[in-house]
Amino acid sequence: MAMWVFGYGSLLWNPGFTVAESVIATLPGYARSFCMRSIHHRGTEDHPGLVLALDEHVESACEGMALRVADGAEADTLEYLRERELISSAYVEKNLTIHLADGRDVTALVYVIDEGHAQYCGGLPLEEQAQIIANAVGGRGPNTEYLYNTATHLAEVGLHDPALEWLHDRVKTLTT
Protein backbone atom coordinates (compact mmCIF):
# COMPACT_ATOMS: atom_id res chain seq x y z
CA MET A 1 0.00 0.00 0.00
CA ALA A 2 1.34 3.43 -0.94
CA MET A 3 2.45 5.86 1.76
CA TRP A 4 1.12 9.39 1.33
CA VAL A 5 2.14 12.53 3.25
CA PHE A 6 0.05 15.70 3.30
CA GLY A 7 2.18 18.82 2.79
CA TYR A 8 0.80 22.23 3.70
CA GLY A 9 3.91 24.18 4.79
CA SER A 10 7.61 23.44 4.39
CA LEU A 11 6.92 19.91 3.15
CA LEU A 12 5.63 21.58 -0.03
CA TRP A 13 9.02 23.00 -0.99
CA ASN A 14 11.37 20.91 1.13
CA PRO A 15 9.94 17.43 1.65
CA GLY A 16 13.31 15.87 2.51
CA PHE A 17 12.33 12.51 1.05
CA THR A 18 11.91 11.03 -2.43
CA VAL A 19 8.49 11.95 -3.79
CA ALA A 20 7.17 9.52 -6.41
CA GLU A 21 3.98 11.50 -7.11
CA SER A 22 2.52 14.82 -6.00
CA VAL A 23 -1.11 15.82 -6.39
CA ILE A 24 -3.05 18.84 -5.14
CA ALA A 25 -5.18 17.64 -2.24
CA THR A 26 -7.68 18.84 0.33
CA LEU A 27 -7.79 17.88 3.99
CA PRO A 28 -11.27 18.48 5.42
CA GLY A 29 -11.77 19.64 8.99
CA TYR A 30 -8.49 21.54 9.36
CA ALA A 31 -7.17 25.04 8.66
CA ARG A 32 -3.57 26.07 7.93
CA SER A 33 -2.29 28.94 10.09
CA PHE A 34 0.81 30.25 11.83
CA CYS A 35 -0.35 28.83 15.16
CA MET A 36 2.86 27.20 16.40
CA ARG A 37 5.78 28.98 18.03
CA SER A 38 9.03 27.72 16.54
CA ILE A 39 11.81 27.37 19.10
CA HIS A 40 14.11 25.19 16.98
CA HIS A 41 13.86 25.59 13.21
CA ARG A 42 12.67 29.21 12.69
CA GLY A 43 13.20 30.77 16.10
CA THR A 44 14.74 30.13 19.50
CA GLU A 45 13.38 29.61 23.00
CA ASP A 46 14.25 33.25 23.80
CA HIS A 47 12.89 34.61 20.50
CA PRO A 48 10.36 32.16 19.04
CA GLY A 49 9.34 32.34 15.42
CA LEU A 50 6.12 31.04 13.92
CA VAL A 51 5.51 28.06 11.68
CA LEU A 52 2.41 26.71 10.04
CA ALA A 53 0.33 24.01 11.62
CA LEU A 54 -3.07 22.53 11.07
CA ASP A 55 -5.70 23.61 13.57
CA GLU A 56 -8.81 21.46 13.76
CA HIS A 57 -11.84 23.39 12.46
CA VAL A 58 -14.81 21.24 11.52
CA GLU A 59 -16.10 23.63 8.83
CA SER A 60 -12.71 24.32 7.26
CA ALA A 61 -10.54 22.54 4.71
CA CYS A 62 -6.85 22.96 3.94
CA GLU A 63 -5.53 22.76 0.40
CA GLY A 64 -2.02 21.43 0.00
CA MET A 65 -0.16 18.63 -1.74
CA ALA A 66 -0.41 14.88 -1.35
CA LEU A 67 3.10 13.49 -1.62
CA ARG A 68 3.45 9.78 -2.39
CA VAL A 69 6.60 8.31 -0.94
CA ALA A 70 8.77 6.30 -3.33
CA ASP A 71 8.24 2.55 -3.05
CA GLY A 72 10.71 1.02 -0.62
CA ALA A 73 11.45 4.33 1.12
CA GLU A 74 8.51 4.24 3.53
CA ALA A 75 10.39 3.24 6.72
CA ASP A 76 13.22 5.71 6.16
CA THR A 77 10.73 8.48 5.32
CA LEU A 78 8.70 7.85 8.46
CA GLU A 79 11.84 7.91 10.59
CA TYR A 80 12.99 11.14 8.92
CA LEU A 81 9.61 12.85 9.29
CA ARG A 82 9.30 11.91 12.95
CA GLU A 83 12.74 13.32 13.66
CA ARG A 84 11.92 16.52 11.75
CA GLU A 85 8.31 17.14 12.72
CA LEU A 86 8.13 15.77 16.25
CA ILE A 87 11.20 17.60 17.55
CA SER A 88 9.25 19.25 20.37
CA SER A 89 6.05 17.17 20.38
CA ALA A 90 3.91 20.18 19.39
CA TYR A 91 2.69 18.25 16.36
CA VAL A 92 0.57 15.12 16.58
CA GLU A 93 1.01 12.48 13.89
CA LYS A 94 -2.29 11.30 12.38
CA ASN A 95 -3.43 9.18 9.48
CA LEU A 96 -6.30 11.07 7.84
CA THR A 97 -8.29 10.83 4.65
CA ILE A 98 -7.45 13.48 2.07
CA HIS A 99 -9.19 14.18 -1.22
CA LEU A 100 -6.90 14.32 -4.27
CA ALA A 101 -7.70 16.75 -7.08
CA ASP A 102 -7.87 13.79 -9.51
CA GLY A 103 -10.82 12.32 -7.57
CA ARG A 104 -9.02 9.73 -5.43
CA ASP A 105 -9.32 9.59 -1.66
CA VAL A 106 -6.23 8.32 0.16
CA THR A 107 -5.06 7.98 3.72
CA ALA A 108 -2.12 10.28 4.40
CA LEU A 109 0.30 10.93 7.21
CA VAL A 110 -0.55 14.38 8.53
CA TYR A 111 1.07 16.48 11.24
CA VAL A 112 -1.45 18.59 13.15
CA ILE A 113 -1.00 20.91 16.12
CA ASP A 114 -1.55 19.77 19.68
CA GLU A 115 -3.71 22.64 20.97
CA GLY A 116 -2.69 21.77 24.54
CA HIS A 117 1.04 22.17 23.83
CA ALA A 118 2.95 25.20 25.16
CA GLN A 119 4.01 26.17 21.60
CA TYR A 120 0.41 26.48 20.40
CA CYS A 121 -0.58 30.10 19.77
CA GLY A 122 -3.73 29.97 17.66
CA GLY A 123 -5.65 33.18 17.08
CA LEU A 124 -2.76 35.65 16.95
CA PRO A 125 -3.71 38.73 14.89
CA LEU A 126 -2.08 38.78 11.45
CA GLU A 127 -0.10 41.94 12.24
CA GLU A 128 1.41 40.30 15.33
CA GLN A 129 2.28 37.24 13.22
CA ALA A 130 3.97 39.48 10.66
CA GLN A 131 6.06 41.24 13.33
CA ILE A 132 7.24 37.91 14.77
CA ILE A 133 8.03 36.37 11.38
CA ALA A 134 9.92 39.47 10.23
CA ASN A 135 12.35 39.23 13.15
CA ALA A 136 12.79 35.55 14.07
CA VAL A 137 15.74 33.33 13.11
CA GLY A 138 16.29 29.70 14.09
CA GLY A 139 18.46 26.69 13.36
CA ARG A 140 17.14 26.35 9.79
CA GLY A 141 17.35 30.05 9.01
CA PRO A 142 15.16 33.15 9.03
CA ASN A 143 11.45 32.83 9.64
CA THR A 144 10.94 35.05 6.58
CA GLU A 145 12.47 32.36 4.34
CA TYR A 146 9.91 29.83 5.60
CA LEU A 147 7.03 32.22 4.88
CA TYR A 148 8.31 33.31 1.46
CA ASN A 149 9.07 29.76 0.27
CA THR A 150 5.67 28.48 1.37
CA ALA A 151 3.72 31.39 -0.16
CA THR A 152 5.70 31.14 -3.40
CA HIS A 153 5.18 27.41 -3.72
CA LEU A 154 1.45 27.65 -3.04
CA ALA A 155 1.16 30.28 -5.78
CA GLU A 156 3.23 28.16 -8.21
CA VAL A 157 0.83 25.22 -7.85
CA GLY A 158 -2.22 27.48 -8.08
CA LEU A 159 -3.36 27.38 -4.46
CA HIS A 160 -4.75 30.56 -2.91
CA ASP A 161 -4.34 31.31 0.81
CA PRO A 162 -5.40 34.92 1.53
CA ALA A 163 -3.91 35.09 5.04
CA LEU A 164 -0.56 33.71 3.87
CA GLU A 165 -0.52 36.11 0.91
CA TRP A 166 -1.25 39.06 3.22
CA LEU A 167 1.54 37.96 5.58
CA HIS A 168 3.96 37.58 2.66
CA ASP A 169 3.30 41.13 1.49
CA ARG A 170 3.32 42.62 4.99
CA VAL A 171 6.57 40.94 6.02
CA LYS A 172 8.21 42.07 2.75
CA THR A 173 7.22 45.64 3.67
CA LEU A 174 8.56 45.26 7.22
CA THR A 175 11.91 43.88 6.08
CA THR A 176 12.72 46.22 3.18
Side-chain angles (χ1 to χ4, degrees):
M1 181 174 209
M3 178 181 176
W4 290 88
V5 178
F6 183 70
Y8 58 88
S10 63
L11 287 173
L12 295 170
W13 46 271
N14 182 25
F17 58 90
T18 303
V19 176
E21 179 183 5
S22 62
V23 182
I24 291 175
T26 303
L27 172 65
Y30 289 86
R32 170 185 30 240
S33 67
F34 279 96
C35 64
M36 181 175 143
R37 295 193 189 282
S38 178
I39 59 173
H40 299 287
H41 298 315
R42 299 297 174 168
T44 64
E45 288 191 27
D46 292 334
H47 300 285
L50 292 174
V51 291
L52 293 164
L54 293 170
D55 230 341
E56 192 166 5
H57 291 285
V58 174
E59 297 178 11
S60 295
C62 178
E63 291 186 309
M65 296 296 289
L67 309 171
R68 186 170 57 81
V69 177
D71 292 342
E74 296 88 354
D76 288 343
T77 298
L78 184 58
E79 181 181 342
Y80 165 76
L81 288 172
R82 286 178 171 165
E83 182 179 314
R84 171 181 164 167
E85 302 297 331
L86 302 178
I87 189 169
S88 65
S89 302
Y91 285 125
V92 176
E93 185 179 275
K94 292 189 174 189
N95 288 298
L96 300 171
T97 299
I98 59 174
H99 308 299
L100 306 188
D102 63 15
R104 292 178 287 169
D105 286 347
V106 298
T107 300
L109 184 65
V110 182
Y111 291 95
V112 304
I113 191 71
D114 174 359
E115 293 180 17
H117 196 277
Q119 287 173 253
Y120 177 69
C121 60
L124 290 178
L126 286 176
E127 180 61 32
E128 186 175 345
Q129 293 177 41
Q131 295 291 332
I132 293 168
I133 292 167
N135 294 294
V137 178
R140 290 206 175 160
N143 208 168
T144 54
E145 177 185 69
Y146 176 93
L147 168 64
Y148 298 155
N149 283 341
T150 303
T152 298
H153 193 81
L154 284 171
E156 285 173 356
V157 298
L159 297 178
H160 181 61
D161 185 321
L164 210 68
E165 292 163 11
W166 185 90
L167 282 167
H168 175 277
D169 294 345
R170 179 67 178 134
V171 170
K172 282 276 188 191
T173 300
L174 290 171
T175 57
T176 53

